[in-house]
Amino acid sequence: MSSGDQRNGGDKSEDMVSQAAVWPEVERAELLARGAALKWASGVFCRPEHLERLSQYRKRESLRTSSIHTRLKSMVQSYLEGVGWGLEQLREARTELRDVSQTLKKAGLEADANTEGVRSLERLRELSVSRQQLLAAVSNLPRLYAVQSLVLETERLVESRRLLEAHARLMDLEHWQDDILWQLHGADGAAGSALSADEQELVAKYFSGVQQLVDALGQEMWAVVSSALALARQNPTPFVSAVRIVEREEALDRALLAQRADVGGSSRPLPPGRPRCWRARFFQVLEEAVSARFRSVSYLHTRGPGLAGHLSALQHAVMADLATVRHLLEHCVPPHYQLTAAYLKATHHCLHTHLAQVSSWDLESGEIFAVLNWVLHVYNSPDMMGHPELVTEAERAELGPLISSEGLEQLQSKYVQSVRKSVSEWMHKALQVELQDWQRDQEPDTDHEGFYLTSLPTIITQMLEENARVALMIGESLRDQTIQMGLYEIENLLNRFREALVEFGKEHRKDPSNNKFYLHYLLASISNCVILKKSTESLQLQQSSQSAGQFSRTPPNPLAALDRAVRRACRLVMDQLLLDLQPFLPGLLTRPWLVQGDPTPKLCSILEHHLELHGRVRPPCRQRLQEEAQWLMAVEYVRALMQKRFVCRSGEDRKQLAQQMLQDNQLLRETFRGLEEEGPVLEANPLALLPVLADFIRLKDPGMLTLEVSGLASKYPDISEEHVSVLLDIRGDVSRDVRAAVMDLLEQSAPPLPVGYRPIFIDILVPPSTMVFCLPTARCA
């Protein structure tokens, strides 16, 4: 490095030191720049051969440095020019401020010089204000003296209901009062103060009757509006006058409010009592008049049977009022009043309140039906709010529901509960009448088909059908609830009916001679159940499919209760048949029976009598009774055989026993021939067991008994070893080996009971066999 460069470097370092002393940031920036340069140079000249390009890098950096210096000089130059322009502007502003200050000083001196002249004008201002007040007083003196006479005249006009003239006088008085107040306010406002209390009291004293006139006129107007319906039919002129006054007042209110808004709302205050808002008051009075018409109704005559008449009268009154409003009053008011829609809305609101009060009473079912029918069907029908001329007005009034959905549900629930109470009472009375009929000393009544019946099913059926029909007039939902309630009550009735049948049977067993028509009324009860079943199924079919899940309680099951009652009645009928057969059953399968044939004909005679009575029962219970009688006879016959009243001693005895059993079977089949003619009701005829047992007894070869028992067990799988043992004993010729083989066969087979098979041997108990006891010291025979 040359000596010049060293001097230059030294000068630069000295400059940098001096700059760092002034600006520390410069030193920090210089250090960062040197560090960045060293880092760059160490990366570029890391190898000796790279020094060959040193001149290129020096030239490039020199060009870059000169470019940066040029831009810095340009920027500094523009900055200095801006600073110079700003200083020039500040000099000009200082000069202008100096001129303004001198001008203000001169104006202050001139104002101080004119103070004495202003003080001399204060007296002139006071004289001007006083003159204005005196001028206002002189100009208003005639009016002030005429106020009392005008007030009296206006009072007479109001009393005579000359409303338009009275309102014109009242407007004059109010105009005078407003002018005086404004003049006083204007004078005081010029003086810089508001009206004093004395001035306000003085004006109020002179115009003290104006507000009273306003109240009196309003009272007369609202009385006219309240009686608008009556006036419309006689003389609508007062109503028209009232409407015109309302419109005048509305125009005045709008004008005064607009004037006050134009002047900023603070210069001229509103007159006393403004705004009056008489149009809103007009509709309020109209609604109060409608409400008063409902309040005038005497509630004493609306309770009980008179409620339906009251609602009908209410319908005619409302429609008459609406016709008057639509055809007469609507033409007396401006179109924007929409008077019909307003009257509709007021009427609807009052009806809503009135019906809410009626619904809160302790109503009977007929009263609730009248309310529901009126609300759901009459009110919205073409005879009332659905009238073609009222539909548009009703839509414009946006009428809501007359009774809320919750209120309707409560009413329907109250209706169902009331009907249920009535139905329960009637069913209880009908059951008591039925029990009294059972004690009559004559046969039950018969229908046109000859079937027994009593009044019970007719009463129940008609009552439930009528309730469902009446409820359907309200709606399907109420019909479904009523039917559901009826099904519950039928189930309860049938449970009590079954209990009554049980008591009826107990009383008869205590004294069979007390009621000789006991069996007839049992059969009539079964026929009644058949009728009730058809009625119940008809009611269930009337229910809509959506109603099944609407009830939280367990669904009623009257058909199951009917089946239980029928089974109990059939059991009592069979008990009576068994009681009639009992005197002759001990004679079956005995020696006299084998010789003479008795008592089978007598048994058949009793069966014929019972079957004839069973024919008075409606199908399908008639077939059921005849089937039960057939089973009963077969069971009792086999039970008599199991008693071993006759034991065969020879083949001839077995032959005669089998023949007599076949004859008895023939007689019994002829007795039940009517059942067979009606159709093959039974899949397995129980009397078919008798020929099978006869064949078993008359079998000649005892060795074939095993095969015979196998066939018997396959047909009647409920037969037990005890039953077969008794049959073997009756034969009297079965050896010990054959008996053991037969018993082994039964033990090995023992087939399960097939589905639908009705056991017959289960009901037949085998009497215990008599054992022969031997003395221990002797040998048994």
Side-chain angles (χ1 to χ4, degrees):
M1 184 178 297
S2 62
S3 60
D5 292 339
Q6 291 178 354
R7 286 194 302 269
N8 291 336
D11 296 339
K12 289 180 180 179
S13 61
E14 291 176 359
D15 293 340
M16 290 176 58
V17 169
S18 62
Q19 291 176 359
V22 179
W23 293 306
E25 292 81 3
V26 175
E27 181 182 4
R28 190 180 302 111
E30 179 70 18
L31 293 175
L32 290 175
R34 286 181 177 276
L38 289 174
K39 185 177 180 180
W40 175 82
S42 62
V44 172
F45 303 106
C46 59
R47 300 182 66 180
E49 58 267 18
H50 293 164
L51 294 174
E52 296 177 357
R53 290 180 293 181
L54 178 61
S55 60
Q56 297 178 2
Y57 284 116
R58 179 180 294 175
K59 185 178 181 179
R60 187 179 66 182
E61 292 300 322
S62 176
L63 292 174
R64 183 183 300 175
T65 302
S66 62
S67 175
I68 292 172
H69 285 170
T70 302
R71 282 183 292 178
L72 285 174
K73 288 178 181 179
S74 176
M75 182 180 66
V76 170
Q77 182 65 31
S78 63
Y79 174 75
L80 291 175
E81 289 177 356
V83 170
W85 181 83
L87 291 173
E88 184 65 25
Q89 294 294 323
L90 288 174
R91 293 191 200 97
E92 293 177 359
R94 185 179 63 179
T95 303
E96 292 176 357
L97 285 174
R98 187 182 297 113
D99 295 341
V100 171
S101 176
Q102 292 175 359
T103 303
L104 287 174
K105 187 180 293 184
K106 291 179 181 180
L109 293 174
E110 292 178 359
D112 292 339
N114 293 330
T115 302
E116 295 298 330
V118 172
R119 290 177 182 173
S120 63
L121 292 176
E122 288 293 335
R123 178 61 180 168
L124 182 60
R125 180 182 297 174
E126 293 176 0
L127 291 174
S128 176
V129 171
S130 177
R131 181 181 177 283
Q132 289 179 359
Q133 292 178 350
L134 291 174
L135 181 61
V138 171
S139 62
N140 288 312
L141 277 177
R143 296 181 180 179
L144 294 176
Y145 284 116
V147 166
Q148 295 301 322
S149 61
L150 194 57
V151 168
L152 294 176
E153 182 182 357
T154 307
E155 286 179 353
R156 289 193 297 270
L157 292 175
V158 171
E159 291 173 358
S160 60
R161 280 203 173 179
R162 296 163 64 181
L163 301 180
L164 287 176
E165 298 179 29
H167 187 254
R169 301 293 188 276
L170 180 61
M171 290 178 68
D172 292 339
L173 288 170
E174 290 181 331
H175 183 65
W176 295 353
Q177 181 182 7
D178 294 344
D179 284 347
I180 292 173
L181 288 173
W182 174 242
Q183 291 174 7
L184 293 174
H185 181 269
D188 290 344
S193 61
L195 281 175
S196 65
D198 294 339
E199 291 173 342
Q200 293 181 0
E201 183 179 356
L202 180 62
V203 175
K205 180 179 179 181
Y206 273 101
F207 292 92
S208 60
V210 174
Q211 187 58 41
Q212 297 177 1
L213 284 176
V214 173
D215 296 340
L217 179 62
Q219 186 176 359
E220 288 296 327
M221 285 175 52
W222 307 139
V224 168
V225 174
S226 299
S227 57
L229 292 174
L231 292 174
R233 302 185 184 97
Q234 301 171 1
N235 180 21
T237 302
F239 180 75
V240 175
S241 300
V243 173
R244 292 180 62 184
I245 292 172
V246 168
E247 287 303 298
R248 287 180 184 176
E249 290 293 329
E250 283 293 312
L252 282 173
D253 286 345
R254 288 195 301 270
L256 290 172
L257 290 173
Q259 183 181 5
R260 186 169 184 266
D262 291 341
V263 298
S266 59
S267 297
R268 182 164 186 168
L270 287 174
R274 294 286 180 180
R276 293 202 174 116
C277 304
W278 274 9
R279 185 186 293 169
R281 177 61 179 161
F282 172 87
F283 288 105
Q284 182 181 354
V285 170
L286 188 68
E287 185 173 354
E288 291 174 355
V290 176
S291 179
R293 289 177 67 83
F294 283 92
R295 288 197 302 268
S296 64
V297 178
S298 176
Y299 290 158
L300 296 177
H301 301 292
T302 61
R303 304 297 296 268
L307 182 57
H310 163 68
L311 294 176
S312 178
L314 202 60
Q315 173 190 354
H316 294 300
V318 168
M319 294 306 295
D321 291 349
L322 287 173
T324 302
V325 173
R326 191 170 67 253
H327 296 134
L328 298 178
L329 293 182
E330 188 73 53
H331 303 292
C332 300
V333 299
H336 64 269
Y337 271 48
Q338 298 181 1
L339 191 62
T340 303
Y343 196 89
L344 266 175
K345 191 171 184 179
T347 302
H348 182 82
H349 177 72
C350 292
L351 283 174
H352 174 78
T353 304
H354 179 59
L355 290 177
Q357 182 180 9
V358 171
S359 301
S360 65
W361 297 341
D362 188 13
L363 301 176
E364 299 293 335
S365 58
E367 298 171 317
I368 300 175
F369 173 82
V371 173
L372 288 173
N373 183 63
W374 200 84
V375 170
L376 296 177
H377 301 295
V378 176
Y379 186 69
N380 294 315
S381 68
D383 295 333
M384 207 167 174
M385 295 304 174
H387 194 278
E389 297 181 3
L390 292 177
V391 171
T392 304
E393 301 294 339
E395 292 176 353
R396 185 180 301 166
E398 297 180 354
L399 304 179
L402 195 57
I403 295 181
S404 64
S405 57
E406 295 79 6
L408 286 176
E409 290 179 1
Q410 292 177 2
L411 270 181
Q412 291 184 357
S413 178
K414 287 174 64 176
Y415 175 81
V416 173
Q417 293 301 324
S418 179
V419 172
R420 181 169 196 166
K421 180 180 178 182
S422 176
V423 168
S424 179
E425 292 176 355
W426 274 101
M427 285 187 175
H428 179 73
K429 292 179 181 178
L431 184 58
Q432 295 302 317
V433 173
E434 177 76 5
L435 298 182
Q436 293 175 5
D437 289 344
W438 290 352
Q439 306 300 327
R440 291 194 304 175
D441 195 17
Q442 62 182 27
E443 277 191 90
D445 299 331
T446 57
D447 60 9
H448 64 284
E449 296 178 308
F451 299 127
Y452 284 143
L453 82 162
T454 60
S455 60
L456 179 66
T458 304
I459 294 173
I460 301 303
T461 301
Q462 291 179 353
M463 179 169 51
L464 296 180
E465 289 287 346
E466 180 66 17
N467 285 326
R469 184 187 64 80
V470 171
L472 183 59
M473 297 172 64
I474 301 300
E476 291 187 358
S477 175
L478 185 61
R479 188 269 313 273
D480 294 339
Q481 293 182 47
T482 305
I483 291 178
Q484 193 83 347
M485 174 274 301
L487 296 177
Y488 277 118
E489 292 303 317
I490 288 181
E491 184 176 7
N492 294 335
L493 171 72
L494 291 172
N495 290 332
R496 296 196 301 268
F497 183 75
R498 182 169 58 87
E499 294 172 0
L501 285 174
V502 173
E503 293 298 325
F504 190 42
K506 290 180 180 179
E507 293 176 1
H508 182 71
R509 284 193 294 273
K510 292 178 182 178
D511 187 6
S513 62
N514 188 27
N515 191 341
K516 61 181 180 179
F517 295 102
Y518 166 77
L519 179 60
H520 303 72
Y521 280 102
L522 285 178
L523 299 175
S525 299
I526 298 175
S527 289
N528 291 342
C529 290
V530 175
I531 298 174
L532 286 176
K533 181 180 180 181
K534 293 180 180 179
S535 301
T536 301
E537 292 174 345
S538 175
L539 287 174
Q540 290 177 333
L541 290 175
Q542 293 181 37
Q543 283 185 292
S544 59
S545 58
Q546 292 83 5
S547 65
Q550 295 179 355
F551 305 98
S552 59
R553 295 179 55 187
T554 304
N557 194 0
L559 296 180
L562 270 168
D563 186 62
R564 290 193 297 269
V566 169
R567 282 192 279 109
R568 175 55 60 185
C570 290
R571 183 69 264 167
L572 293 175
V573 171
M574 291 300 105
D575 290 345
Q576 183 62 30
L577 173 60
L578 181 59
L579 185 63
D580 293 343
L581 294 175
Q582 199 65 46
F584 306 99
L585 290 176
L588 278 176
L589 300 166
T590 59
R591 286 286 176 182
W593 163 79
L594 187 61
V595 176
Q596 302 174 2
D598 287 338
T600 304
K602 296 178 181 178
L603 293 173
C604 291
S605 176
I606 295 173
L607 282 172
E608 287 178 358
H609 173 68
H610 277 260
L611 292 176
E612 182 181 357
L613 291 178
H614 295 173
R616 299 295 188 94
V617 178
R618 286 183 171 275
C621 289
R622 176 176 58 191
Q623 289 84 353
R624 181 173 180 175
L625 286 173
Q626 292 172 348
E627 293 167 12
E628 292 296 327
Q630 205 169 8
W631 276 96
L632 175 66
M633 194 63 233
V635 169
E636 294 301 324
Y637 198 96
V638 176
R639 180 179 284 115
L641 181 64
M642 293 293 119
Q643 298 292 328
K644 294 194 293 186
R645 298 170 186 168
F646 182 84
V647 177
C648 299
R649 300 172 183 173
S650 62
E652 186 64 25
D653 288 348
R654 288 190 291 276
K655 181 180 179 181
Q656 291 181 5
L657 176 60
Q659 289 178 353
Q660 189 62 39
M661 289 177 65
L662 292 174
Q663 291 178 9
D664 288 352
N665 178 63
Q666 187 64 29
L667 287 175
L668 292 174
R669 282 184 176 275
E670 291 178 357
T671 303
F672 289 102
R673 189 176 302 277
L675 177 61
E676 296 176 357
E677 292 176 356
E678 292 181 3
V681 181
L682 289 176
E683 296 182 0
N685 191 340
L687 293 177
L689 176 60
L690 302 186
V692 174
L693 296 178
D695 292 342
F696 182 86
I697 291 173
R698 72 181 176 184
L699 187 64
K700 294 181 180 179
D701 185 4
M704 298 295 292
L705 286 176
T706 304
L707 183 60
E708 191 71 19
V709 169
S710 176
L712 183 62
S714 63
K715 287 185 179 181
Y716 302 97
D718 61 318
I719 192 170
S720 64
E721 298 178 4
E722 291 80 4
H723 295 124
V724 174
S725 178
V726 171
L727 292 176
L728 296 177
D729 291 342
I730 292 174
R731 283 183 58 86
D733 63 341
V734 181
S735 63
R736 186 174 297 175
D737 297 336
V738 173
R739 180 183 294 270
V742 169
M743 293 306 171
D744 291 340
L745 176 65
L746 283 176
E747 289 180 1
Q748 294 174 4
S749 61
L753 299 180
V755 178
Y757 173 77
R758 182 176 179 181
I760 187 171
F761 283 96
I762 290 180
D763 297 330
I764 303 173
L765 299 178
V766 177
S769 59
T770 57
M771 299 293 293
V772 179
F773 292 95
C774 302
L775 294 174
T777 56
R779 183 177 295 178
C780 294

